[in-house]
PDB file of all heavy atoms in Angstrom:
ATOM      1  N   LEU A 102       8.346  14.144 -11.151  1.00 94.00           N
ATOM      2  CA  LEU A 102       7.535  13.076 -11.532  1.00 94.00           C
ATOM      3  C   LEU A 102       7.122  13.081 -13.031  1.00 94.00           C
ATOM      4  O   LEU A 102       7.164  12.072 -13.739  1.00 94.00           O
ATOM      5  CB  LEU A 102       6.270  12.963 -10.671  1.00 94.00           C
ATOM      6  CG  LEU A 102       6.470  12.672  -9.212  1.00 94.00           C
ATOM      7  CD1 LEU A 102       5.191  12.769  -8.456  1.00 94.00           C
ATOM      8  CD2 LEU A 102       7.113  11.246  -9.091  1.00 94.00           C
ATOM      9  N   ARG A 103       6.842  14.274 -13.541  1.00 94.00           N
ATOM     10  CA  ARG A 103       6.583  14.457 -15.009  1.00 94.00           C
ATOM     11  C   ARG A 103       7.792  14.185 -15.863  1.00 94.00           C
ATOM     12  O   ARG A 103       7.713  13.412 -16.848  1.00 94.00           O
ATOM     13  CB  ARG A 103       6.080  15.889 -15.295  1.00 94.00           C
ATOM     14  CG  ARG A 103       4.582  16.077 -15.118  1.00 94.00           C
ATOM     15  CD  ARG A 103       4.112  17.438 -15.784  1.00 94.00           C
ATOM     16  NE  ARG A 103       5.159  18.562 -15.758  1.00 94.00           N
ATOM     17  CZ  ARG A 103       5.161  19.463 -14.822  1.00 94.00           C
ATOM     18  NH1 ARG A 103       4.350  19.525 -13.790  1.00 94.00           N
ATOM     19  NH2 ARG A 103       6.143  20.382 -14.873  1.00 94.00           N
ATOM     20  N   ASP A 104       8.968  14.724 -15.461  1.00 94.00           N
ATOM     21  CA  ASP A 104      10.159  14.516 -16.184  1.00 94.00           C
ATOM     22  C   ASP A 104      10.534  13.040 -16.237  1.00 94.00           C
ATOM     23  O   ASP A 104      11.182  12.583 -17.239  1.00 94.00           O
ATOM     24  CB  ASP A 104      11.315  15.345 -15.587  1.00 94.00           C
ATOM     25  CG  ASP A 104      11.278  16.754 -15.779  1.00 94.00           C
ATOM     26  OD1 ASP A 104      10.381  17.222 -16.584  1.00 94.00           O
ATOM     27  OD2 ASP A 104      11.932  17.593 -15.102  1.00 94.00           O
ATOM     28  N   HIS A 105      10.221  12.152 -15.285  1.00 89.00           N
ATOM     29  CA  HIS A 105      10.435  10.844 -15.297  1.00 89.00           C
ATOM     30  C   HIS A 105       9.367   9.985 -15.910  1.00 89.00           C
ATOM     31  O   HIS A 105       9.342   8.748 -15.924  1.00 89.00           O
ATOM     32  CB  HIS A 105      10.741  10.295 -13.854  1.00 89.00           C
ATOM     33  CG  HIS A 105      12.091  10.702 -13.373  1.00 89.00           C
ATOM     34  ND1 HIS A 105      12.354  11.900 -12.747  1.00 89.00           N
ATOM     35  CD2 HIS A 105      13.281  10.051 -13.494  1.00 89.00           C
ATOM     36  CE1 HIS A 105      13.609  11.929 -12.427  1.00 89.00           C
ATOM     37  NE2 HIS A 105      14.183  10.875 -12.990  1.00 89.00           N
ATOM     38  N   GLY A 106       8.323  10.661 -16.446  1.00 90.00           N
ATOM     39  CA  GLY A 106       7.221   9.966 -17.102  1.00 90.00           C
ATOM     40  C   GLY A 106       6.228   9.241 -16.243  1.00 90.00           C
ATOM     41  O   GLY A 106       5.514   8.337 -16.773  1.00 90.00           O
ATOM     42  N   LEU A 107       6.214   9.610 -14.908  1.00 91.00           N
ATOM     43  CA  LEU A 107       5.261   8.878 -14.018  1.00 91.00           C
ATOM     44  C   LEU A 107       3.958   9.553 -13.921  1.00 91.00           C
ATOM     45  O   LEU A 107       3.023   8.812 -13.558  1.00 91.00           O
ATOM     46  CB  LEU A 107       5.961   8.889 -12.627  1.00 91.00           C
ATOM     47  CG  LEU A 107       7.264   8.134 -12.627  1.00 91.00           C
ATOM     48  CD1 LEU A 107       8.000   8.303 -11.307  1.00 91.00           C
ATOM     49  CD2 LEU A 107       7.091   6.616 -12.925  1.00 91.00           C
ATOM     50  N   VAL A 108       3.786  10.836 -14.245  1.00 95.00           N
ATOM     51  CA  VAL A 108       2.490  11.484 -14.295  1.00 95.00           C
ATOM     52  C   VAL A 108       2.281  12.212 -15.560  1.00 95.00           C
ATOM     53  O   VAL A 108       3.313  12.628 -16.208  1.00 95.00           O
ATOM     54  CB  VAL A 108       2.392  12.484 -13.052  1.00 95.00           C
ATOM     55  CG1 VAL A 108       2.435  11.634 -11.777  1.00 95.00           C
ATOM     56  CG2 VAL A 108       3.226  13.546 -13.068  1.00 95.00           C
ATOM     57  N   THR A 109       1.065  12.418 -15.898  1.00 95.00           N
ATOM     58  CA  THR A 109       0.750  13.286 -17.096  1.00 95.00           C
ATOM     59  C   THR A 109      -0.203  14.316 -16.624  1.00 95.00           C
ATOM     60  O   THR A 109      -0.766  14.274 -15.528  1.00 95.00           O
ATOM     61  CB  THR A 109       0.023  12.409 -18.208  1.00 95.00           C
ATOM     62  OG1 THR A 109      -1.160  11.806 -17.672  1.00 95.00           O
ATOM     63  CG2 THR A 109       0.987  11.275 -18.738  1.00 95.00           C
ATOM     64  N   THR A 110      -0.426  15.408 -17.518  1.00 95.00           N
ATOM     65  CA  THR A 110      -1.298  16.473 -17.073  1.00 95.00           C
ATOM     66  C   THR A 110      -2.233  16.780 -18.086  1.00 95.00           C
ATOM     67  O   THR A 110      -2.116  16.344 -19.336  1.00 95.00           O
ATOM     68  CB  THR A 110      -0.349  17.813 -16.970  1.00 95.00           C
ATOM     69  OG1 THR A 110       0.204  18.140 -18.211  1.00 95.00           O
ATOM     70  CG2 THR A 110       0.754  17.644 -15.914  1.00 95.00           C
ATOM     71  N   SER A 111      -3.310  17.411 -17.667  1.00 93.00           N
ATOM     72  CA  SER A 111      -4.359  17.992 -18.570  1.00 93.00           C
ATOM     73  C   SER A 111      -4.812  19.193 -17.976  1.00 93.00           C
ATOM     74  O   SER A 111      -5.219  19.363 -16.844  1.00 93.00           O
ATOM     75  CB  SER A 111      -5.513  16.964 -18.708  1.00 93.00           C
ATOM     76  OG  SER A 111      -6.100  16.638 -17.481  1.00 93.00           O
ATOM     77  N   PRO A 112      -4.822  20.346 -18.754  1.00 91.00           N
ATOM     78  CA  PRO A 112      -5.199  21.661 -18.292  1.00 91.00           C
ATOM     79  C   PRO A 112      -6.768  21.684 -18.381  1.00 91.00           C
ATOM     80  O   PRO A 112      -7.517  21.050 -19.069  1.00 91.00           O
ATOM     81  CB  PRO A 112      -4.690  22.556 -19.389  1.00 91.00           C
ATOM     82  CG  PRO A 112      -4.430  21.801 -20.589  1.00 91.00           C
ATOM     83  CD  PRO A 112      -4.191  20.384 -20.099  1.00 91.00           C
ATOM     84  N   CYS A 113      -7.312  22.454 -17.370  1.00 89.00           N
ATOM     85  CA  CYS A 113      -8.740  22.642 -17.250  1.00 89.00           C
ATOM     86  C   CYS A 113      -8.933  24.013 -16.649  1.00 89.00           C
ATOM     87  O   CYS A 113      -8.836  24.247 -15.447  1.00 89.00           O
ATOM     88  CB  CYS A 113      -9.299  21.571 -16.326  1.00 89.00           C
ATOM     89  SG  CYS A 113     -11.131  21.688 -16.220  1.00 89.00           S
ATOM     90  N   GLY A 114      -9.078  25.032 -17.590  1.00 91.00           N
ATOM     91  CA  GLY A 114      -9.243  26.411 -17.088  1.00 91.00           C
ATOM     92  C   GLY A 114      -7.919  26.877 -16.532  1.00 91.00           C
ATOM     93  O   GLY A 114      -6.866  26.672 -17.139  1.00 91.00           O
ATOM     94  N   ARG A 115      -7.903  27.422 -15.322  1.00 91.00           N
ATOM     95  CA  ARG A 115      -6.654  27.847 -14.732  1.00 91.00           C
ATOM     96  C   ARG A 115      -6.013  26.767 -13.868  1.00 91.00           C
ATOM     97  O   ARG A 115      -4.932  26.976 -13.215  1.00 91.00           O
ATOM     98  CB  ARG A 115      -6.956  29.074 -13.811  1.00 91.00           C
ATOM     99  CG  ARG A 115      -7.906  28.911 -12.658  1.00 91.00           C
ATOM    100  CD  ARG A 115      -8.206  30.116 -11.966  1.00 91.00           C
ATOM    101  NE  ARG A 115      -8.985  29.891 -10.776  1.00 91.00           N
ATOM    102  CZ  ARG A 115      -8.518  30.264  -9.599  1.00 91.00           C
ATOM    103  NH1 ARG A 115      -7.386  30.923  -9.424  1.00 91.00           N
ATOM    104  NH2 ARG A 115      -9.203  29.877  -8.534  1.00 91.00           N
ATOM    105  N   PHE A 116      -6.537  25.630 -13.911  1.00 90.00           N
ATOM    106  CA  PHE A 116      -5.962  24.487 -13.134  1.00 90.00           C
ATOM    107  C   PHE A 116      -5.278  23.466 -13.925  1.00 90.00           C
ATOM    108  O   PHE A 116      -5.670  23.323 -15.260  1.00 90.00           O
ATOM    109  CB  PHE A 116      -7.077  23.784 -12.227  1.00 90.00           C
ATOM    110  CG  PHE A 116      -7.803  24.712 -11.264  1.00 90.00           C
ATOM    111  CD1 PHE A 116      -8.994  25.183 -11.542  1.00 90.00           C
ATOM    112  CD2 PHE A 116      -7.063  25.022 -10.093  1.00 90.00           C
ATOM    113  CE1 PHE A 116      -9.570  26.011 -10.562  1.00 90.00           C
ATOM    114  CE2 PHE A 116      -7.644  25.842  -9.117  1.00 90.00           C
ATOM    115  CZ  PHE A 116      -8.960  26.335  -9.342  1.00 90.00           C
ATOM    116  N   THR A 117      -4.383  22.730 -13.546  1.00 93.00           N
ATOM    117  CA  THR A 117      -3.745  21.654 -14.187  1.00 93.00           C
ATOM    118  C   THR A 117      -4.016  20.323 -13.384  1.00 93.00           C
ATOM    119  O   THR A 117      -3.773  20.298 -12.198  1.00 93.00           O
ATOM    120  CB  THR A 117      -2.233  21.837 -14.286  1.00 93.00           C
ATOM    121  OG1 THR A 117      -2.022  23.032 -15.020  1.00 93.00           O
ATOM    122  CG2 THR A 117      -1.591  20.642 -14.984  1.00 93.00           C
ATOM    123  N   TYR A 118      -4.617  19.375 -13.983  1.00 96.00           N
ATOM    124  CA  TYR A 118      -4.977  18.109 -13.360  1.00 96.00           C
ATOM    125  C   TYR A 118      -3.846  17.075 -13.692  1.00 96.00           C
ATOM    126  O   TYR A 118      -3.313  17.085 -14.853  1.00 96.00           O
ATOM    127  CB  TYR A 118      -6.305  17.590 -13.815  1.00 96.00           C
ATOM    128  CG  TYR A 118      -7.322  18.255 -13.009  1.00 96.00           C
ATOM    129  CD1 TYR A 118      -7.801  19.555 -13.443  1.00 96.00           C
ATOM    130  CD2 TYR A 118      -7.988  17.700 -11.949  1.00 96.00           C
ATOM    131  CE1 TYR A 118      -8.841  20.114 -12.721  1.00 96.00           C
ATOM    132  CE2 TYR A 118      -8.961  18.295 -11.140  1.00 96.00           C
ATOM    133  CZ  TYR A 118      -9.443  19.594 -11.593  1.00 96.00           C
ATOM    134  OH  TYR A 118     -10.413  20.155 -10.968  1.00 96.00           O
ATOM    135  N   TYR A 119      -3.484  16.341 -12.643  1.00 96.00           N
ATOM    136  CA  TYR A 119      -2.407  15.337 -12.794  1.00 96.00           C
ATOM    137  C   TYR A 119      -3.015  13.933 -12.691  1.00 96.00           C
ATOM    138  O   TYR A 119      -3.964  13.791 -11.834  1.00 96.00           O
ATOM    139  CB  TYR A 119      -1.329  15.494 -11.679  1.00 96.00           C
ATOM    140  CG  TYR A 119      -0.627  16.797 -11.911  1.00 96.00           C
ATOM    141  CD1 TYR A 119      -1.020  17.960 -11.411  1.00 96.00           C
ATOM    142  CD2 TYR A 119       0.623  16.771 -12.571  1.00 96.00           C
ATOM    143  CE1 TYR A 119      -0.336  19.135 -11.569  1.00 96.00           C
ATOM    144  CE2 TYR A 119       1.302  17.960 -12.741  1.00 96.00           C
ATOM    145  CZ  TYR A 119       0.884  19.184 -12.262  1.00 96.00           C
ATOM    146  OH  TYR A 119       1.508  20.313 -12.419  1.00 96.00           O
ATOM    147  N   ARG A 120      -2.516  13.012 -13.393  1.00 95.00           N
ATOM    148  CA  ARG A 120      -2.905  11.588 -13.229  1.00 95.00           C
ATOM    149  C   ARG A 120      -1.686  10.692 -13.451  1.00 95.00           C
ATOM    150  O   ARG A 120      -0.698  11.106 -14.090  1.00 95.00           O
ATOM    151  CB  ARG A 120      -4.069  11.253 -14.190  1.00 95.00           C
ATOM    152  CG  ARG A 120      -3.648  11.266 -15.644  1.00 95.00           C
ATOM    153  CD  ARG A 120      -4.834  10.867 -16.562  1.00 95.00           C
ATOM    154  NE  ARG A 120      -4.648  11.392 -17.912  1.00 95.00           N
ATOM    155  CZ  ARG A 120      -4.820  12.600 -18.322  1.00 95.00           C
ATOM    156  NH1 ARG A 120      -5.211  13.510 -17.450  1.00 95.00           N
ATOM    157  NH2 ARG A 120      -4.545  12.958 -19.573  1.00 95.00           N
ATOM    158  N   LEU A 121      -1.803   9.486 -12.943  1.00 93.00           N
ATOM    159  CA  LEU A 121      -0.735   8.595 -13.105  1.00 93.00           C
ATOM    160  C   LEU A 121      -0.644   8.107 -14.572  1.00 93.00           C
ATOM    161  O   LEU A 121      -1.593   7.941 -15.173  1.00 93.00           O
ATOM    162  CB  LEU A 121      -1.091   7.313 -12.238  1.00 93.00           C
ATOM    163  CG  LEU A 121       0.016   6.433 -11.737  1.00 93.00           C
ATOM    164  CD1 LEU A 121       1.015   7.196 -10.892  1.00 93.00           C
ATOM    165  CD2 LEU A 121      -0.501   5.315 -10.949  1.00 93.00           C
ATOM    166  N   ALA A 122       0.575   8.194 -15.016  1.00 91.00           N
ATOM    167  CA  ALA A 122       0.821   7.782 -16.446  1.00 91.00           C
ATOM    168  C   ALA A 122       0.580   6.294 -16.685  1.00 91.00           C
ATOM    169  O   ALA A 122       0.874   5.526 -15.690  1.00 91.00           O
ATOM    170  CB  ALA A 122       2.274   8.207 -16.856  1.00 91.00           C
ATOM    171  N   ALA A 123       0.099   5.904 -17.766  1.00 86.00           N
ATOM    172  CA  ALA A 123      -0.081   4.466 -18.058  1.00 86.00           C
ATOM    173  C   ALA A 123       1.236   3.855 -17.946  1.00 86.00           C
ATOM    174  O   ALA A 123       2.313   4.255 -18.436  1.00 86.00           O
ATOM    175  CB  ALA A 123      -0.612   4.275 -19.489  1.00 86.00           C
ATOM    176  N   GLY A 124       1.377   2.702 -17.111  1.00 81.00           N
ATOM    177  CA  GLY A 124       2.601   1.901 -16.924  1.00 81.00           C
ATOM    178  C   GLY A 124       3.572   2.783 -15.989  1.00 81.00           C
ATOM    179  O   GLY A 124       4.746   2.351 -16.031  1.00 81.00           O
ATOM    180  N   ALA A 125       3.098   3.685 -15.147  1.00 74.00           N
ATOM    181  CA  ALA A 125       3.900   4.413 -14.338  1.00 74.00           C
ATOM    182  C   ALA A 125       4.637   3.505 -13.358  1.00 74.00           C
ATOM    183  O   ALA A 125       5.859   3.585 -13.068  1.00 74.00           O
ATOM    184  CB  ALA A 125       3.196   5.478 -13.552  1.00 74.00           C
ATOM    185  N   PHE A 126       3.923   2.489 -12.811  1.00 71.00           N
ATOM    186  CA  PHE A 126       4.602   1.670 -11.745  1.00 71.00           C
ATOM    187  C   PHE A 126       5.493   0.774 -12.509  1.00 71.00           C
ATOM    188  O   PHE A 126       6.520   0.282 -11.834  1.00 71.00           O
ATOM    189  CB  PHE A 126       3.446   0.965 -11.003  1.00 71.00           C
ATOM    190  CG  PHE A 126       2.923   1.867  -9.856  1.00 71.00           C
ATOM    191  CD1 PHE A 126       1.541   2.230  -9.988  1.00 71.00           C
ATOM    192  CD2 PHE A 126       3.629   2.418  -8.830  1.00 71.00           C
ATOM    193  CE1 PHE A 126       0.904   3.014  -9.112  1.00 71.00           C
ATOM    194  CE2 PHE A 126       3.091   3.242  -7.958  1.00 71.00           C
ATOM    195  CZ  PHE A 126       1.739   3.550  -8.067  1.00 71.00           C
ATOM    196  N   ASP A 127       5.259   0.446 -13.753  1.00 73.00           N
ATOM    197  CA  ASP A 127       6.314  -0.348 -14.406  1.00 73.00           C
ATOM    198  C   ASP A 127       7.621   0.449 -14.625  1.00 73.00           C
ATOM    199  O   ASP A 127       8.670  -0.123 -14.403  1.00 73.00           O
ATOM    200  CB  ASP A 127       5.763  -0.767 -15.903  1.00 73.00           C
ATOM    201  CG  ASP A 127       4.573  -1.719 -15.773  1.00 73.00           C
ATOM    202  OD1 ASP A 127       4.448  -2.321 -14.745  1.00 73.00           O
ATOM    203  OD2 ASP A 127       3.880  -1.710 -16.760  1.00 73.00           O
ATOM    204  N   ALA A 128       7.460   1.724 -14.980  1.00 57.00           N
ATOM    205  CA  ALA A 128       8.597   2.550 -15.068  1.00 57.00           C
ATOM    206  C   ALA A 128       9.376   2.700 -13.766  1.00 57.00           C
ATOM    207  O   ALA A 128      10.534   2.724 -13.661  1.00 57.00           O
ATOM    208  CB  ALA A 128       8.256   3.916 -15.654  1.00 57.00           C
ATOM    209  N   LEU A 129       8.589   2.833 -12.662  1.00 59.00           N
ATOM    210  CA  LEU A 129       9.158   3.007 -11.317  1.00 59.00           C
ATOM    211  C   LEU A 129       9.886   1.735 -10.999  1.00 59.00           C
ATOM    212  O   LEU A 129      10.992   1.755 -10.417  1.00 59.00           O
ATOM    213  CB  LEU A 129       7.997   3.232 -10.337  1.00 59.00           C
ATOM    214  CG  LEU A 129       8.467   3.665  -8.965  1.00 59.00           C
ATOM    215  CD1 LEU A 129       9.309   4.907  -8.906  1.00 59.00           C
ATOM    216  CD2 LEU A 129       7.170   3.729  -8.083  1.00 59.00           C
ATOM    217  N   HIS A 130       9.338   0.552 -11.295  1.00 62.00           N
ATOM    218  CA  HIS A 130       9.930  -0.689 -10.986  1.00 62.00           C
ATOM    219  C   HIS A 130      11.325  -0.723 -11.738  1.00 62.00           C
ATOM    220  O   HIS A 130      12.373  -1.168 -11.248  1.00 62.00           O
ATOM    221  CB  HIS A 130       9.083  -1.876 -11.429  1.00 62.00           C
ATOM    222  CG  HIS A 130       9.773  -3.208 -11.240  1.00 62.00           C
ATOM    223  ND1 HIS A 130      10.479  -3.841 -12.213  1.00 62.00           N
ATOM    224  CD2 HIS A 130       9.652  -4.018 -10.232  1.00 62.00           C
ATOM    225  CE1 HIS A 130      10.969  -4.957 -11.746  1.00 62.00           C
ATOM    226  NE2 HIS A 130      10.448  -5.088 -10.487  1.00 62.00           N
ATOM    227  N   ASP A 131      11.337  -0.265 -13.003  1.00 64.00           N
ATOM    228  CA  ASP A 131      12.636  -0.283 -13.723  1.00 64.00           C
ATOM    229  C   ASP A 131      13.683   0.644 -13.065  1.00 64.00           C
ATOM    230  O   ASP A 131      14.867   0.354 -13.109  1.00 64.00           O
ATOM    231  CB  ASP A 131      12.330   0.124 -15.249  1.00 64.00           C
ATOM    232  CG  ASP A 131      11.587  -0.913 -15.927  1.00 64.00           C
ATOM    233  OD1 ASP A 131      11.498  -2.051 -15.498  1.00 64.00           O
ATOM    234  OD2 ASP A 131      10.952  -0.561 -17.040  1.00 64.00           O
ATOM    235  N   LEU A 132      13.227   1.776 -12.655  1.00 61.00           N
ATOM    236  CA  LEU A 132      14.181   2.649 -11.888  1.00 61.00           C
ATOM    237  C   LEU A 132      14.718   2.100 -10.642  1.00 61.00           C
ATOM    238  O   LEU A 132      15.913   2.288 -10.335  1.00 61.00           O
ATOM    239  CB  LEU A 132      13.445   3.979 -11.644  1.00 61.00           C
ATOM    240  CG  LEU A 132      13.062   4.902 -12.715  1.00 61.00           C
ATOM    241  CD1 LEU A 132      12.273   6.098 -12.191  1.00 61.00           C
ATOM    242  CD2 LEU A 132      14.385   5.471 -13.340  1.00 61.00           C
ATOM    243  N   VAL A 133      13.951   1.328  -9.986  1.00 59.00           N
ATOM    244  CA  VAL A 133      14.449   0.736  -8.676  1.00 59.00           C
ATOM    245  C   VAL A 133      15.242  -0.385  -9.050  1.00 59.00           C
ATOM    246  O   VAL A 133      16.339  -0.698  -8.538  1.00 59.00           O
ATOM    247  CB  VAL A 133      13.151   0.335  -7.814  1.00 59.00           C
ATOM    248  CG1 VAL A 133      13.729  -0.474  -6.649  1.00 59.00           C
ATOM    249  CG2 VAL A 133      12.400   1.503  -7.405  1.00 59.00           C
TER     250      VAL A 133
END
């Protein structure tokens, strides 16, 4: 999902948080 630009990450201590990338569903629409 990261490699396709659909999610982004932010480190917080020993954890990595994931969130939907801006325009992710637009990118997904283009893939489909």
Side-chain angles (χ1 to χ4, degrees):
L102 293 171
R103 273 194 328 265
D104 289 349
H105 283 89
L107 298 172
V108 299
T109 60
T110 62
S111 58
C113 183
R115 63 185 188 123
F116 298 102
T117 299
Y118 280 82
Y119 294 83
R120 67 181 158 280
L121 205 57
F126 285 114
D127 295 338
L129 187 60
H130 180 270
D131 292 342
L132 288 173
V133 175

